[in-house]
Amino acid sequence: MPASPHPDPFTGWLRDHAAPLTHLDPEAPLDDLEPLRDLIGDARVVAIGEHSHFIDEFIRLRRRLLRFLVERCGFTVLAFEYGFSEGFPLDAWAQGEGTDDDLEGHLAEAVPVGVDDPLRWIRRHNAAAPRPVRFAGIDIPAAGGSLLPALTPVADYLRDIDPETLPAIEQAMRIAGSFAGTSAASAAPAWARLPAADQDALTAALTRLLIRFRAVEPLYVSRGDRRDYDLALRRLEGACQADYGFRAMAGLFAGNGLTADTTARDVYMAGSVLWHLERFEPGNRIVLAAHNAHIQKTPISFNGQLTGFPMGQHLRDALGDAYFALGLTSTGGHTGEMVRDEEARFGFRIEDTALEPPEPDSVEAAFAGAGLGLSLAGLRPARTQVPGPDRIRLQSTFLHTPVLDAFDGILHTPAATVARDLEEGTTP
């Protein structure tokens, strides 16, 4: 007997158009993901999101999607919500450099965001693949935890190219080292405790270096080469925007921040994706892994206050339909809520938190109402056919946003569970 029409138009549309998926296992056959091929079309960047970090199902689904996009659709790069500067040694490792055990050393001070598993798959894949898959970091250094991963190689560059500037970058590194942490959650409070004179001296030194880099570009390129200049400049830009982010976060927590001031990080991440897109081999296509709140294509607002313009909005403006945003969400289960704790290794602890039932008018409520389990839905056709939901899960709460405009597709799993193999010091 056919199902009766659902009172919510989008729920009914979803029930008719979503494709069921049969596997969570990253090593399972990929045929159930074939509907994704038509959804993404000729997109050059396909972003895979998650409503929370540290979720086992999202980690596994991301690996399955990476496999499918590489093996079936010819994608050639994995770009990750990971430091731009720190990404280069990981790419070298993924191309076969060193031993399998060396990866742990590269990731020793990194927040565990699930990058190790796809990197190991890429290394195994590349051992026999005719066209290797590359890895690219896109984020500000240490995700805002420290400026040193970017400034240290810039100092090495300037030592050869422009030694006159060494006092300025050495001053910046001394100040940056005084509050460096393993994540923004640990570094931001330490930055806020710096004397205002040190905060201002750091910003002034970085700004002067950045302006000089751009002003004397022909000199730098003539003394070295174009690639090294572009790379050093991008690293310095990351340090500058991370420094700006400390001020923005301090203002946000103090309640006197400027409108959308935390956008600097997302601008940098979008720029990094485009930077890599231009510089890898012609015809490359990028799989981009980041939080839903970074990949979505509409502004982020909380309680009616504009907070920021996400990376996905900038990529949409730059690439149009060649950018495809696939949000990952769950109807129920648990999330790993990140609670600030300066005593914890990464400046926060992860609390295993039960998710409340989906709110009315959420995309999760629509999946539940349609009786869907593990499933995939492309949203672009729905935009002209039905009104869409106005919210989606964000950690243990809901973000109000026009979901059909924010995402091009949703991959839904009925339940989420917090990964149990997190780094020591972050587990609940």
Side-chain angles (χ1 to χ4, degrees):
M1 181 175 180
S4 58
H6 196 280
D8 171 49
F10 178 73
T11 300
W13 184 94
L14 195 61
R15 185 184 58 205
D16 294 338
H17 292 85
L21 302 179
T22 54
H23 299 292
L24 273 172
D25 182 359
E27 303 304 327
L30 299 171
D31 289 348
D32 61 324
L33 288 174
E34 277 297 328
L36 182 60
R37 186 195 300 269
D38 290 335
L39 296 182
I40 64 172
D42 296 327
R44 295 195 65 194
V45 177
V46 171
I48 302 170
E50 54 188 0
H51 70 53
S52 306
H53 292 315
F54 318 118
I55 300 301
D56 180 69
E57 288 80 2
F58 297 159
I59 292 170
R60 289 192 282 164
L61 285 167
R62 190 164 55 207
R63 251 263 277 122
R64 281 203 83 214
L65 291 164
L66 173 64
R67 269 190 65 213
F68 176 80
L69 292 169
V70 169
E71 295 178 4
R72 300 279 182 99
C73 302
F75 280 70
T76 54
V77 180
L78 171 63
F80 214 93
E81 186 184 332
Y82 193 84
F84 172 87
S85 192
E86 301 96 301
F88 290 93
L90 296 187
D91 180 51
W93 183 87
Q95 304 311 308
E97 184 178 288
T99 69
D100 290 354
D101 293 337
D102 289 343
L103 180 60
E104 293 182 8
H106 290 308
L107 298 174
E109 295 302 320
V111 176
V113 291
V115 69
D116 54 339
D117 190 51
L119 274 168
R120 293 187 188 281
W121 179 83
I122 291 173
R123 184 177 170 96
R124 293 194 301 270
H125 171 85
N126 286 346
R131 184 175 186 182
V133 175
R134 305 296 300 272
F135 177 83
I138 62 166
D139 209 346
I140 56 177
S146 172
L147 306 187
L148 297 180
L151 292 182
T152 299
V154 172
D156 292 339
Y157 173 80
L158 290 174
R159 198 166 284 112
D160 293 331
I161 299 298
D162 189 8
E164 292 178 277
T165 62
L166 285 177
I169 196 163
E170 287 169 351
Q171 178 193 30
M173 292 175 67
R174 281 195 301 272
I175 299 171
S178 70
F179 66 91
T182 52
S183 75
S186 60
W191 176 91
R193 290 191 290 268
L194 288 178
D198 284 349
Q199 294 173 352
D200 292 343
L202 175 61
T203 299
L206 292 174
T207 302
R208 183 179 181 190
L209 285 165
L210 181 61
I211 292 173
R212 177 165 174 79
F213 253 80
R214 292 171 174 166
V216 299
E217 175 182 342
L219 177 65
Y220 281 17
V221 172
S222 70
R223 290 177 174 177
D225 61 35
R226 169 56 59 181
R227 180 190 179 281
D228 287 348
Y229 170 82
D230 288 347
L231 180 54
L233 175 61
R234 189 71 195 151
R235 283 170 159 151
L236 181 57
E237 289 169 342
C240 289
Q241 289 184 249
D243 175 66
Y244 188 95
F246 291 130
R247 294 180 183 274
M249 290 300 295
L252 182 67
F253 289 132
N256 57 8
L258 303 176
T259 300
D261 211 24
T262 59
T263 297
R265 180 184 175 195
D266 279 86
V267 169
Y268 184 77
M269 289 197 290
S272 295
V273 173
L274 298 175
W275 192 96
H276 288 300
L277 197 63
E278 292 174 359
R279 287 166 177 80
F280 280 126
E281 297 80 1
N284 71 81
R285 302 176 78 186
I286 292 179
V287 181
L288 170 60
H291 197 285
N292 282 351
H294 290 308
I295 73 164
Q296 75 171 63
K297 305 195 294 184
T298 51
I300 302 288
S301 296
F302 290 103
N303 300 320
Q305 298 296 314
L306 178 63
T307 304
F309 301 103
M311 168 178 61
Q313 183 170 353
H314 299 290
L315 291 175
R316 179 207 65 190
D317 292 345
L319 299 173
D321 286 345
Y323 173 69
F324 187 97
L326 177 65
L328 269 58
T329 193
S330 64
T331 303
H334 290 73
T335 189
E337 198 67 69
M338 298 166 65
V339 179
R340 295 176 66 191
D341 181 354
E342 288 194 57
E343 300 303 315
R345 178 181 176 187
F346 295 108
F348 61 86
R349 66 180 188 276
I350 299 170
E351 292 189 351
D352 192 320
T353 304
L355 294 171
E356 297 292 332
E359 290 185 357
D361 298 320
S362 68
V363 69
E364 293 81 8
F367 273 95
L372 294 167
L374 184 64
S375 50
L376 170 69
L379 302 183
R380 286 177 175 176
R383 293 171 186 163
T384 58
Q385 299 176 21
V386 291
D390 69 2
R391 67 200 70 183
I392 188 171
R393 283 202 189 278
L394 176 69
Q395 305 296 115
S396 59
T397 186
F398 282 84
L399 176 68
H400 288 247
T401 196
V403 174
L404 297 187
D405 295 327
F407 299 95
D408 300 297
I410 295 289
L411 199 164
H412 163 264
T413 183
T417 53
V418 178
R420 293 298 172 183
D421 58 348
L422 301 178
E423 294 284 336
E424 183 179 357
T426 65
T427 50

